[in-house]
Amino acid sequence: CAMTDTDKFEEKLDRLIELCQQLKRENQSLRDREAGLLGERGELIEKNEMARQKIETMINRLRTLSAE
């Protein structure tokens, strides 16, 4: 009977270890995804700023043309 309890304990311990490893993999995957999304966000902010500057330049050109 004591062997059965030990076997059960070892089985639970193995499941905990497996779960811990799975959670570590998922956590790393989420960290990688977060890093990718932050990089993508930075690129989008930069593109948005460039577009804003181009539009501002075009508006100023149009104002200059209409003033002439």
Side-chain angles (χ1 to χ4, degrees):
C1 191
M3 190 64 174
T4 307
D5 290 343
T6 301
D7 289 342
K8 286 180 183 178
F9 177 75
E10 286 180 10
E11 186 179 315
K12 287 181 181 180
L13 189 58
D14 287 343
R15 278 189 280 169
L16 276 174
I17 291 169
E18 187 178 326
L19 179 60
C20 183
Q21 291 170 343
Q22 178 186 345
L23 290 172
K24 281 182 180 180
R25 287 190 300 270
E26 287 178 11
N27 191 30
Q28 186 59 51
S29 176
L30 288 170
R31 287 177 189 269
D32 292 345
R33 184 169 180 229
E34 179 188 29
L37 289 171
L38 287 173
E40 186 178 327
R41 179 181 181 269
E43 290 173 13
L44 290 172
I45 288 171
E46 188 177 331
K47 286 180 182 179
N48 191 17
E49 179 60 23
M50 288 172 58
R52 188 191 65 74
Q53 289 175 1
K54 285 181 182 179
I55 291 170
E56 196 173 291
T57 300
M58 286 189 285
I59 290 171
N60 287 334
R61 286 181 188 165
L62 289 172
R63 284 183 181 151
T64 302
L65 287 174
S66 66
E68 291 174 358

